[in-house]
Amino acid sequence: MSEAIVELPERVPQSGIAAAPVAPGVERKGLTKKEIAADHPTWCPGCGDFSVLALYFKLIEKRKIWHENITTVAGIGCSSRFPYFVQAHGVHYIHGRALPFATGVSLSRPDLHVFVFGGDGDAFSIGGNHFNHTARKNVKMTYVVMDNWVYGLTKKQTSPTSPLGFKSKTDQWGAVDYPINPMKQAISAGATFVARTTSTNPNHVLAMMEAAMDHDGFGFIECLSECVEFYEGAFDAANPRKGGVFREVPKDHDVTDELSAYKLAGADFPGYFGIFYKNLKPTKNAKEAEIIKSYQGKVTGLKDWQILQKSFDRMK
Ligand SMILES: Cc1ncc(C[n+]2csc(CCOP(=O)(O)OP(=O)(O)O)c2C)c(N)n1
Ligand code: SF4
Ligand SMILES: [Mg+2]
């Protein structure tokens, strides 16, 4: 093989991301929360984001994911501070641009599991187009949107998920624009795994994250996560401890049926929680790996300059 050819790491089965044992015959222990937790989270006391972070640690611990197997990417926002608090490789990137960055990581390092966290503004305002395109390309990653129906970091502006009438610094008389429905948007954009959960139900959040991680494709989770500072009580109707209802996706729902997933997504708030849609189709990762493999076959044995020469010859 020519020196110019970079060997792509093999994709590791997602249900069992594995690293080499510490020594032959010695099983490597999963990380503990202490080993994976970084700085003390700077969120306001009571913020729903704490719960999502704690469950991410639990997932890493439970599934024995080691530092070198995981990447945590985020944009900008309170929720997007996430990678700071995780003691592993991660990126706190540009507002709305977490997904393109994560796409690069996912395509170039198929041995990693890429997790992306962010807010409703990051995902659906400035990052709205990236969301649609990453979903349609079916790039292998898990994207958790911590939806608090408001811009938290910048202190209470209307977000694309704020309900009609919501009073904020940008809508002093109440929001007049119709909110988007993240679940409908994800399904129609082509996401191959679409789930909904709420930070007040920890077991459910963990189950959704696990299922998304095991999915070979673009997995999207809308996780309701209350901003106690600027939208207190937003999700009480979904919280049985506050007199609300936590209604799971009906057991007979066919997750491969796009139309019925879309119908579930249309239910009035608090709606349903669980996996709405799941479908397996080739990922961009798999397709690109195929192209690279076939090109590598054509240039095997050539020196760097000969590969370059071939490109120049084609331009003549
Ligand atoms: C390019 C750019 N535009 C605007 C901002 C200002 N800004 C930072 S975070 C944010 C919105 C945050 O809301 P959301 O994504 O919902 O996250 P939350 O803080 O609610 O978790 C905005 C508008 C920015 N940092 N960069
Ligand atoms: S402002 Fe809201 S979203 Fe941000 S940390 Fe505080 S409670 Fe959480
Ligand atoms: Mg928000």
Side-chain angles (χ1 to χ4, degrees), residues 82-105:
F82 214 89
Y84 281 133
F85 312 137
V86 184
Q87 183 60 50
H89 302 291
V91 189
H92 186 207
Y93 198 50
I94 304 169
H95 191 36
R97 271 59 176 174
L99 291 179
F101 188 93
T103 297
V105 179

Side-chain angles (χ1 to χ4, degrees), residues 43-44 47 49 78 148 152 227-230:
W43 293 312
C44 309
C47 176
D49 296 353
C78 289
N148 55 12
C227 171
V228 289
E229 194 63 30
F230 299 117

Side-chain angles (χ1 to χ4, degrees), residues 43 47 49 75-81 93-97 118-126 143 145-161 225 227 230:
W43 293 312
C47 176
D49 296 353
I76 300 288
C78 289
S79 40
S80 292
R81 288 175 179 267
Y93 198 50
I94 304 169
H95 191 36
R97 271 59 176 174
D120 37 313
D122 199 73
F124 304 118
S125 282
I126 193 164
Y143 187 28
V145 172
M146 291 131 91
D147 190 359
N148 55 12
W149 290 357
V150 68
Y151 289 0
L153 187 77
T154 44
K155 302 186 190 304
K156 203 175 187 178
Q157 291 83 22
T158 302
S159 103
T161 53
S225 181
C227 171
F230 299 117

Side-chain angles (χ1 to χ4, degrees), residues 3-19:
E3 306 122 42
I5 295 164
V6 179
E7 192 91 51
L8 276 180
E10 285 286 308
R11 170 160 301 286
V12 179
Q14 295 304 320
S15 50
I17 295 170

